[in-house]
Amino acid sequence: MEGAFLATNDRMFSLARNGQRTQVQLSDIERLWVRGRSTGRGAVIGAAVGVIAGIILAQRATRICGWEQGEEEGDRRCSLGEQAAVFGKIAVVVGPVVGAVGAVVGAGIGFSIPTWRLRFP
């Protein structure tokens, strides 16, 4: 039986089903499931993917300062330490921003996914 919760007392549990009030004795209930959404889980997954993507973008952006594989020592535009500093500055901004965007997108996707949680027994 599925319906919207209305009320409960010591013996009865009331649901709204198809516009009608339905009462069930508490002793007759074997399991009680509650429907929800995966919004929180989607936000966490989206944020994680976004932060990783932001860090990868920051790493790619540091190539502007850095060097390409196979270049000689004298061809480098900046030292490894300078490249690490540039990466750190970019990653501190880009990682959280892309992570926040990922969290919003993930929450939106998660909202469309219903979940069921067992509440009793």
Side-chain angles (χ1 to χ4, degrees):
M1 177 181 312
E2 183 177 340
F5 172 76
L6 293 176
T8 188
N9 59 32
D10 293 343
R11 298 176 326 182
M12 301 298 282
F13 187 86
S14 298
L15 296 173
R17 295 183 62 214
N18 301 324
Q20 300 290 325
R21 183 182 185 114
T22 302
Q23 291 189 331
V24 179
Q25 288 187 0
L26 291 176
S27 61
D28 291 341
I29 297 174
E30 292 178 14
R31 289 183 184 85
L32 178 65
W33 293 82
V34 177
R35 184 172 51 187
R37 299 283 177 189
S38 298
T39 307
R41 182 180 296 162
V44 169
I45 293 170
V49 169
V51 167
I52 291 168
I55 290 171
I56 291 170
L57 286 171
Q59 189 271 335
R60 297 288 183 222
T62 58
R63 298 237 174 194
I64 295 167
C65 172
W67 57 88
E68 297 298 323
Q69 187 175 6
E71 288 183 347
E72 297 297 322
E73 182 77 32
D75 295 336
R76 296 177 181 167
R77 292 183 286 271
C78 62
S79 70
L80 186 59
E82 291 170 329
Q83 186 178 12
V86 169
F87 170 75
K89 290 176 184 173
I90 293 172
V92 165
V93 174
V94 173
V97 169
V98 177
V101 171
V104 170
V105 171
I109 293 169
F111 183 75
S112 66
I113 301 171
T115 60
W116 291 90
R117 292 180 186 89
L118 181 63
R119 296 292 185 191
F120 175 80

